[in-house]
Amino acid sequence: MSQTPIWKTIALALTADIAEGRFATGDRLPTEAQLAATHGVNRHTVRRALAELARQRLVHPRRGAGVFVSAAATDYPIGKRVRYHQNISASGKIPGKQVLSLITRAADKTEAEALALAPGDPVHVYDGLSLADGQPIAVFQSVFPAARLPDLPEALAQNGSVTRALRHCGVADYTRISTRLTARAAEAIQARHLHLIEGAPVLHSVGINADPQGHPVEYGKTVFAGERVTLTLDDDHG
Amino acid sequence: MSQTPIWKTIALALTADIAEGRFATGDRLPTEAQLAATHGVNRHTVRRALAELARQRLVHPRRGAGVFVSAAATDYPIGKRVRYHQNISASGKIPGKQVLSLITRAADKTEAEALALAPGDPVHVYDGLSLADGQPIAVFQSVFPAARLPDLPEALAQNGSVTRALRHCGVADYTRISTRLTARAAEAIQARHLHLIEGAPVLHSVGINADPQGHPVEYGKTVFAGERVTLTLDDDHG
DNA sequence: CGCTATGATTTGTCTAGTTGTATAGTAGTT
DNA sequence: AACTACTATACAACTAGACAAATCATAGCG
């Protein structure tokens, strides 16, 4: 996987530390042992990185004293860190949706528990794709209790918006009562939908939305393309 | 007519060894050379078997050190508002932190902005490892304003707990004012710390904590092992 | 105050061992 | 001829531990 040796990575990180002012000219760097600990490598690997910086005259080691910054780096490779990011609020309201499928079937055990139903009760299942600027951002699956929302499929088919479809079915407002997040590797089908390669990191989100009375109205799973999405949580309500 | 390849046989034997406890979690397997000798095959054949186990996340090799048995995948719920320790112990796991390094240096531009400081102002930087039942579940870096919290390093070195160290320095309480989450592939150094193979999915979290007056006291980055952690958000507002 | 002795810390060097990767080759099968 | 499974060899990258050499802080002593 990593064709670049670790010591080069460390050397670059240290160069960046100097270039961005975290260590100024004349400062002493952490000891080799400390650097080894923070980077989780052997001391010799750190030494190799420091040797590279010394070769570039960025630092000068003094036996018994430490390694000192001799000059500020003026020119260092910045890498391709800048990426296309899409900021999305945690509520999951994203412009641009594409309906993949919309069916009604029996609820499995997990879905029934999440929606406070009995296993086998009918549910609407809405599979879709979230887009931004034409790029796929997430695949999602929303599960709704069919008994409570018989007319939902038609409403959803019309505009795709969950919020508006729910309002049309008598749920004026809803709030998220639980969210669980984790990072996973993209499965084949997810990768296809999100234009990723299989195994690319994706952000899994599982949540339940309920009406103001506390009755669950949606059980949703969303898989975000990790490379294109940053989830921002707003912790207002101080 | 195609017999099962030798490497599959070896992989199965090793899997059984691990499953039946002949090699415990964290143990180092015999070296590739030793395994090759005992099985009477070439080293590359053993490597192929080990590669299969690594793909299944049963083991994680460390160049120069050996091949180690990975931790069994378990999910650890972590709350957004609730403190780390409380949460882990609530799930029946014994929490722990390991200090990787604790230094004071100048703030770079990003850190300065996050903490409402000027670039170059001194900051304490706390690199560490979060553990649950001895297994690493996250690497983190916390940045604190040094001018405001001069005695923090000693307090942190004593017990490792950020909450207690901050309280000791006069910050009785703090709340999270912003969080950003995304999924990434583990970089080499992160993978080593978290006992993962490079490229495994990890959950990046960047957040700022502030005291009740709204002054930032911590700028923290955390990288969770996606396979071992589920972040649970409590969206109750009261 | 000034000096030295001492011990802890830190970089420099050495040896040995382990995994990662690249190249080339052989035997058997299709 | 091409492919698969495995062998053989060599080197690169990293770990591990030990010890030497230089530095620094400090305590003790004149």
Side-chain angles (χ1 to χ4, degrees):
Chain A
M1 272 291 183
S2 71
Q3 51 241 30
T4 58
I6 291 186
W7 65 265
K8 277 192 183 170
T9 313
I10 296 174
L12 232 103
L14 289 173
T15 308
D17 283 344
I18 295 169
E20 292 170 19
R22 290 187 280 272
F23 297 116
T25 306
D27 279 4
R28 208 191 76 173
L29 295 186
T31 69
E32 294 173 350
Q34 277 179 336
L35 288 173
T38 62
H39 290 92
V41 299
N42 191 269
R43 196 186 130 215
H44 291 320
T45 308
V46 168
R47 279 182 64 72
R48 179 120 195 219
L50 289 172
E52 175 63 18
L53 296 204
R55 199 189 59 75
Q56 298 173 17
R57 306 273 191 255
L58 275 175
V59 300
H60 54 94
R62 282 178 47 208
R63 178 189 290 205
V67 180
F68 297 83
V69 178
S70 42
T74 53
D75 195 27
Y76 76 102
I78 199 165
K80 36 181 192 255
R81 283 252 163 252
V82 277
R83 279 221 192 100
Y84 167 53
H85 280 297
Q86 188 75 31
N87 278 16
I88 292 173
S89 71
S91 56
K93 293 165 188 154
I94 304 167
K97 287 197 180 176
Q98 180 184 336
V99 180
L100 292 178
S101 83
L102 198 49
I103 61 171
T104 303
R105 57 159 171 77
D108 67 21
K109 223 170 56 183
T110 310
E111 293 161 351
E113 188 177 351
L115 294 173
L117 300 174
D121 282 359
V123 287
H124 302 311
V125 180
Y126 171 22
D127 282 285
L129 207 55
S130 298
L131 310 167
D133 291 339
Q135 267 214 317
I137 281 194
V139 288
F140 63 88
Q141 180 183 72
S142 285
V143 180
F144 307 91
R148 167 129 189 238
L149 305 161
D151 301 330
L152 194 75
E154 292 79 38
L156 272 175
Q158 283 191 2
N159 54 25
S161 160
V162 171
T163 306
R164 249 176 303 180
L166 281 175
R167 185 156 43 214
H168 183 265
C169 293
V171 181
D173 191 23
Y174 62 92
T175 54
R176 191 160 274 246
I177 60 174
S178 90
T179 307
R180 284 182 18 191
L181 292 168
T182 189
R184 291 273 164 81
E187 295 166 10
I189 294 175
Q190 299 166 352
R192 281 260 289 281
H193 279 137
L194 296 175
H195 297 180
L196 298 170
I197 63 169
E198 197 173 340
V202 291
L203 191 61
H204 270 235
S205 165
V206 180
I208 300 174
N209 279 306
D211 62 17
Q213 285 76 44
H215 300 127
V217 293
E218 187 219 358
Y219 171 56
K221 301 186 214 175
T222 310
V223 177
F224 296 95
E227 297 171 359
R228 297 198 275 273
V229 175
T230 299
L231 251 168
T232 305
L233 310 181
D234 10 319
D235 306 80
D236 48 0
H237 320 286
Chain B
M1 316 318 140
S2 65
Q3 293 175 313
T4 57
I6 299 181
W7 66 265
K8 273 193 184 170
T9 317
I10 297 175
L12 265 169
L14 288 173
T15 306
D17 284 343
I18 294 170
E20 293 167 19
R22 284 188 282 277
F23 297 119
T25 306
D27 277 6
R28 207 190 78 172
L29 296 185
T31 68
E32 293 173 351
Q34 281 175 340
L35 287 173
T38 59
H39 288 92
V41 298
N42 189 268
R43 198 185 129 215
H44 286 324
T45 308
V46 168
R47 279 183 64 71
R48 178 124 193 214
L50 289 172
E52 174 62 18
L53 296 204
R55 199 188 59 76
Q56 297 173 19
R57 309 275 203 261
L58 275 174
V59 299
H60 59 277
R62 284 178 50 208
R63 176 188 295 205
V67 180
F68 297 82
V69 179
S70 296
T74 320
D75 280 353
Y76 301 92
I78 291 182
K80 178 175 68 170
R81 320 212 151 208
V82 198
R83 304 288 189 238
Y84 171 77
H85 277 276
Q86 299 168 3
N87 241 289
I88 293 292
S89 38
S91 68
K93 310 286 177 190
I94 302 167
K97 285 199 178 175
Q98 183 184 335
V99 180
L100 292 178
S101 87
L102 198 48
I103 64 172
T104 303
R105 57 158 172 77
D108 66 20
K109 224 171 57 182
T110 311
E111 293 160 353
E113 186 177 351
L115 293 173
L117 301 174
D121 283 357
V123 288
H124 301 312
V125 181
Y126 173 22
D127 281 286
L129 217 53
S130 295
L131 312 169
D133 273 358
Q135 307 297 341
I137 63 171
V139 287
F140 62 89
Q141 181 182 67
S142 285
V143 180
F144 306 92
R148 163 121 194 247
L149 305 161
D151 301 330
L152 194 76
E154 293 80 37
L156 272 176
Q158 284 190 3
N159 53 28
S161 160
V162 171
T163 305
R164 249 177 302 180
L166 280 175
R167 185 157 44 213
H168 183 267
C169 293
V171 180
D173 192 23
Y174 61 93
T175 52
R176 193 161 271 249
I177 59 173
S178 88
T179 307
R180 284 181 8 196
L181 292 168
T182 188
R184 292 265 177 85
E187 293 167 12
I189 291 172
Q190 297 164 353
R192 313 165 80 76
H193 278 138
L194 296 175
H195 295 182
L196 298 171
I197 64 172
E198 197 174 339
V202 291
L203 191 60
H204 271 235
S205 164
V206 180
I208 299 175
N209 279 306
D211 63 15
Q213 285 75 44
H215 299 130
V217 293
E218 188 220 358
Y219 171 55
K221 301 186 211 177
T222 309
V223 178
F224 295 95
E227 297 169 356
R228 297 202 271 272
V229 175
T230 300
L231 239 160
T232 306
L233 309 183
D234 320 322
D235 295 283
D236 53 345
H237 312 307

